[in-house]
Amino acid sequence: MSSDRRASPSDVVRPRNVGAPIKRTEDPRLLTGNGEYTADRKPDRPLHLAFLRSGQPHARIVRIDAAAARQAPGVVAVFTAEDIADDFKPVVPFSRMPNYYATPILPLASGKVRYVGEAVVAVIATSRYLAEDALDLIDVDYEPLGALARAELALADNAPLLHEAAGTNVLIAREFRKGDVTADLAAATVRVAGRFEMTRKAPLAMEPRSYAAEYDKRRDAITLYTSSNIPGIVRDAVSESLGLSGHCMRVVAPDVGGSFGSKGSLYPEELLICIAARKLRRSVKWTADRLEDVSSSSQAFAEIVDAEMGFDANGIATSLQADVIGDVGAYSIYPWTCGLEPVQVVSFLPGPYKIGSYRGAVRGVATCKPPTGPYRGVGRPISTFVAERLMDLGAAALGIDPLEIRRRNLVRAEEFPYRIASGIIWDKAGFIECLDAAAEAAGYDRLRKEQAEARKQGRLFGIGIASYAELTGIGSRIAVAPGMPINTGSETAKITIDSTGAITAAFGVASHGQGLETTLAQIVADDLGARFEDVRVIQGDSDEVPMSTGTYASRSAVLGGGAAKHASKILREKIKRVASHLLEANADDIEVTEGKAVVLGTDRAVSFKQIAKAVYSDMKTLPVEAREELSATYTYDPVNGTTAAATHIAAVEIDPATCFVRILKFVVAEDCGRIINPMIVDGQVHGGVAQGIGAALFEELIYDEDGQLLTASLVDYMIPSAPEVPVMDVVHVESESAVAGGFRGMGEGGTIGAPAAIANAIADALSPLGIGVSILPMTPERIFRLMEQAQIKRKADE
Amino acid sequence: MTMHVSVTVNGETYDVSDVEPRMLLSDFLRDRLGLTGTHVGCEHGVCGACTVLVNGDSVRACLMLAVQANGAEIVTVEGLGSPDELNVLQAEFREHHGLQCGFCTPGMLMTGEDLLRKYPLATDDDIREGLSGNLCRCTGYQNIVAAIRSAAAKRTEKAS
Ligand code: FES
Ligand code: FES
């Protein structure tokens, strides 16, 4: 650029990192075995923890005899609830919701056990092998109190109470109402209804839960390394429970091997391991084995929904009502409460549709199972399953194409912001655009022709559509979980240029596979004017920012990204001011780019290194008042949050002999706002859809009538492997949101849309046989039974 | 009773005494040799995260005892490439975004190496079949398949 032509700032071409498929910073270490997951920590002479877990679903603990275990080789300590009673305060998952009972969280079962897998005794020994050996020497006498294996049973009048203090097994009850549903249903041209069930699932991250409490003798302090996606919340809770001030209780989530929600609540084992480290003044490690992980990590979904939808003659959905029973397990989790999952089902049931009147009632019922908690999508995989099944039933009853009925009911571009019947407000997003884009990418009309051909040959070929919307990047005005007292509406970024000129950006969010070290660096690089490779991102460490709640609920791109943008801007202004001294130019004429401050239209520039030297070391260059520390902190709150949306289309064929469902095509059109890294966005969609496929076709945690888990291994709890997952086609409808950066947040969507789309496709495939789909997963066994029943019915009709 | 185990791992020989016969190879690699790149996801032979090469064949380190590996030649993920110099398959995983949380990745890479060495992998279905013993909860497999496909293409280029 010649020096006589002065460019205005907008003319300056800066390398744009946001929007580019930049390769991940995380990868070199993770690909070479140099990652550090919690179980990889090597503290000095660590002790190892093992838990004796309840084999009883519901029983009084009469007596624990651990004398022999205490004498066993290598055993350093054995703790029961009694031994640690004075070492903590129970953690209570408080909420302002009415009709809610908060079950206190204890490190070990006290007085009674409430599910198979609940930790009862902790053994600490010099090796994990020896700790597990000693478990066999412990005797616990139980007095059975009667298993509550299913929510319907727990609702019965004479059912035993799981929490006597609650006075009921219904831990949470709520109802949402708008308009006169009864009247609107009565006036409807067509009413469709069903009893739908989404069975219990395991989020099943590949890394089992793992904790290492590292004891620092010098300060009597603990650093808890935890496979958690909420290290800040864990820090606050453990600190409060153990009476340790925050600077003596650091919580770090190092590399974390997936969570999907299962590592997003406070766990009793996290409390126990910190108590043990403190009592023994030693570092203690624990990693769940797969059985422990499946039978004690928070589980998912488990709802039965009786729902009905009314349509007018034009296929406009006028009314919707639903009664939901959530089987929430034995405890309310911290901090989200047992209301999180089932209440979200009724909050989101109207989905992206303009349904006039609504009544949604929910009861969360305690049973003898591990607590349900967040799992990718939370509530919406089932609300979408139900609403989309009803849409298809309505379409069939009215003879309208499923694509068309959705087009008639989705909120249209000019109607945003739109408050749906349950009260949620959708920010402008491409609902119709996603529907159209998905139909086009799937070749919808062609698929219907293919289907007609297939049907002529007697093949079971089906097409399913699902549209949904989700609240993402939620700010302080909305509670992530209803009535919860902690603030989940803000995140902090702290960006510093040190005396060497190096840039460090610290966040409280906690990546566990999403690649936040990469995407947040992309944002900082652009907004600060640095080179991507020069930005180091620190995250997942409670010592780095004063307060944070972590990564969940599709919030980190919006909240972490928004904080990054604002903090970068503040720091960039500081850089400009220093540079204006050094370059003797007006700060407004300076552009910061590629790690340098440049006087526009000239070749006069100073690097960040030179700027840092001037500020921190070389005391001759700048006047004292110009030596501003090169750091900026910003806490961003999007206040309301934003909306993300998508349409999924699946085409399936069912083999009538084996009853296996083959997915022939899977298309996602999604609007996640401004895309930071398209490679990562596609990866999130792929992974989410694969989990949705698991939920739709394979995955089910089965508990028998005695509350025993029958599917505790990876052989019995089947998640999709490579041959079961089809090639997915992802289309982006990129419309900018109103929050900082135009981001929307998108980590969960795949799991929300896929089960409904597949359910509808299966129902469509089986419709010639008069079979509907009302429960997921549709395993070959379920399909076989339905086909058999249909055949019997056909014969009887003949 | 303890035993002596002598193994070569990633070209380096280790002589370790006092190994309990019941110690799993996965625990031995991680806890005794400090090679924590090999991950443990199930300890019952299903997830494949612990896959290593023993005498050239892919093996689940959680289904083998350390003492059974006495005298063996083992390759773990640490033996493939370094952060500065990824090997071909590692580089393709990065290029195609074949990893998210990275927990299944060591097992995927070791299985991938084994597949690339032994099979023609003519179709993507062959790759998917070959990966069926390795679970990934993050990626939906699509990009892992793409990475191995690309590495297979490079292998063919090299051979011709
Ligand atoms: S840990 Fe060995 S197969 Fe899962
Ligand atoms: S990348 Fe997380 S399990 Fe595969």
Side-chain angles (χ1 to χ4, degrees), chain B residues 84-99:
Chain B
D84 300 333
E85 212 167 325
L86 300 175
N87 86 357
V88 173
L89 186 59
Q90 289 168 319
E92 294 302 335
F93 264 65
R94 183 166 195 226
E95 187 63 31
H96 293 272
H97 191 32
L99 68 156

Side-chain angles (χ1 to χ4, degrees), chain A residues 440-681:
Chain A
E440 195 194 316
Y444 185 75
D445 297 335
R446 216 168 44 245
L447 274 180
R448 284 287 174 209
K449 287 198 192 98
E450 240 177 89
Q451 178 180 40
E453 278 308 305
R455 281 200 174 148
K456 273 190 220 147
Q457 300 158 15
R459 285 161 52 205
L460 302 172
F461 183 108
I463 302 158
I465 307 174
S467 292
Y468 66 85
E470 51 174 334
L471 276 183
T472 55
I474 296 173
S476 60
R477 195 166 289 164
I478 304 169
V480 162
M484 200 182 53
I486 68 169
N487 166 35
T488 51
S490 58
E491 277 299 332
T492 302
K494 187 178 85 192
I495 309 179
T496 311
I497 298 179
D498 67 21
S499 55
T500 71
I503 308 156
T504 304
F507 297 85
V509 294
S511 188
H512 40 285
Q514 298 89 339
L516 293 175
E517 284 174 43
T518 305
T519 44
L520 293 172
Q522 287 178 262
I523 295 171
V524 171
D526 276 1
D527 285 70
L528 185 61
R531 293 186 309 180
F532 169 77
E533 57 275 22
D534 291 343
V535 180
R536 178 188 175 212
V537 168
I538 299 179
Q539 42 94 45
D541 184 340
S542 71
D543 267 8
E544 292 293 332
V545 295
M547 184 271 181
S548 163
T549 56
T551 289
Y552 51 87
S554 303
R555 74 196 290 272
S556 295
V558 174
L559 280 81
K565 285 188 87 70
H566 285 282
S568 297
K569 188 160 173 264
I570 297 168
L571 185 51
R572 194 180 62 219
E573 293 307 314
K574 284 192 180 180
I575 291 169
K576 279 191 188 177
R577 287 198 289 273
V578 174
S580 76
H581 281 280
L582 300 177
L583 296 168
E584 293 171 343
N586 192 323
D588 292 340
D589 292 335
I590 290 174
E591 177 70 359
V592 186
T593 175
E594 291 276 283
K596 292 190 298 275
V598 188
V599 180
L600 283 172
T602 73
D603 51 10
R604 279 159 49 220
V606 277
S607 67
F608 285 7
K609 192 172 180 149
Q610 291 167 310
I611 290 170
K613 194 162 175 232
V615 170
Y616 296 121
S617 324
D618 182 0
M619 296 291 102
K620 289 200 275 297
T621 29
L622 289 173
V624 175
E625 65 280 5
R627 290 181 209 145
E628 290 183 84
E629 185 190 284
L630 298 172
S631 75
T633 302
Y634 192 90
T635 298
Y636 177 65
D637 176 355
V639 188
N640 284 319
T642 180
T643 301
T647 296
H648 291 206
I649 296 183
V652 306
E653 179 157 0
I654 299 165
D655 180 338
T658 62
C659 295
F660 271 81
V661 177
R662 200 153 70 89
I663 302 172
L664 306 171
K665 196 177 212 46
F666 203 99
V667 173
V668 177
E670 59 91 47
D671 179 5
C672 69
R674 163 89 68 93
I675 290 176
I676 303 169
N677 186 323
M679 177 186 85
I680 288 178
V681 167

Side-chain angles (χ1 to χ4, degrees), chain A residues 5 34 52 106 161 172 188 221 291 324 326 334 341 365 387 390 416 418 433 517 519 608 611 621 642 649 687 689 752:
Chain A
R5 190 188 148 245
N34 288 297
L52 182 70
L106 306 173
L161 291 179
I172 169 78
L291 168 66
V324 178
Y334 186 88
E341 164 65 31
V365 184
L390 292 172
F416 292 105
Y418 188 91
E433 292 82 345
E517 284 174 43
T519 44
F608 285 7
I611 290 170
T621 29
T642 180
I649 296 183
V689 168
I752 300 175

Side-chain angles (χ1 to χ4, degrees), chain B residues 51-74:
Chain B
T51 307
V52 297
L53 300 179
V54 177
N55 297 327
D57 291 318
S58 67
V59 160
R60 283 154 201 253
C62 75
L63 291 185
M64 188 167 175
L65 299 171
V67 293
Q68 291 176 298
N70 192 27
E73 182 108 23
I74 296 174

Side-chain angles (χ1 to χ4, degrees), chain A residues 79-101:
Chain A
F79 296 136
T80 63
E82 214 172 295
D83 301 315
I84 56 166
D86 298 331
D87 298 304
F88 70 97
K89 281 194 308 222
V91 179
V92 181
F94 182 76
S95 164
R96 287 181 298 269
M97 281 183 292
N99 306 314
Y100 164 67
Y101 177 76

Side-chain angles (χ1 to χ4, degrees), chain A residues 23-25 27-28 30-34 37 39-40 42 128-130 133 202-204 206-208 256-258 260 289-290 375 512-513 679-680 683-684 686-687 690-691 699 713-715 719-723 725-728, chain B residues 20 22-24 27 30 34 36-37 39-44 46-47 77-78 81-83 86 90-91 93-97 99-106 109 128-129 131-132 134-143 145:
Chain A
K23 303 296 164 245
R24 301 198 320 167
T25 318
D27 291 355
L30 299 180
L31 282 163
T32 53
N34 288 297
Y37 300 83
D40 304 341
K42 300 179 183 79
R128 179 177 157 197
Y129 285 80
L130 293 174
D133 286 347
L204 211 109
M206 292 321 299
E207 177 203 29
V256 175
F260 317 110
D289 64 24
R290 186 50 67 183
Y375 175 38
H512 40 285
M679 177 186 85
I680 288 178
Q684 288 291 313
H686 293 165
Q691 287 179 12
E699 297 178 34
S713 79
L714 294 184
V715 179
I719 67 167
S721 69
V725 181
V727 174
M728 296 160 255
Chain B
E20 276 194 82
R22 64 175 174 169
M23 179 170 253
L24 302 177
D27 289 340
R30 291 177 51 81
T36 50
H39 293 162
V40 173
C42 71
E43 291 176 293
H44 54 256
V46 182
C47 76
V77 69
E78 287 95 338
S82 65
L86 300 175
Q90 289 168 319
F93 264 65
R94 183 166 195 226
E95 187 63 31
H96 293 272
H97 191 32
L99 68 156
Q100 290 182 25
C101 78
F103 198 78
C104 71
T105 310
L109 289 168
R128 285 181 186 265
E129 223 29 74
L131 289 177
S132 62
N134 287 71
L135 298 176
C136 173
R137 194 59 155 167
C138 297
T139 64
Y141 305 101
Q142 189 152 325
N143 293 342
V145 174

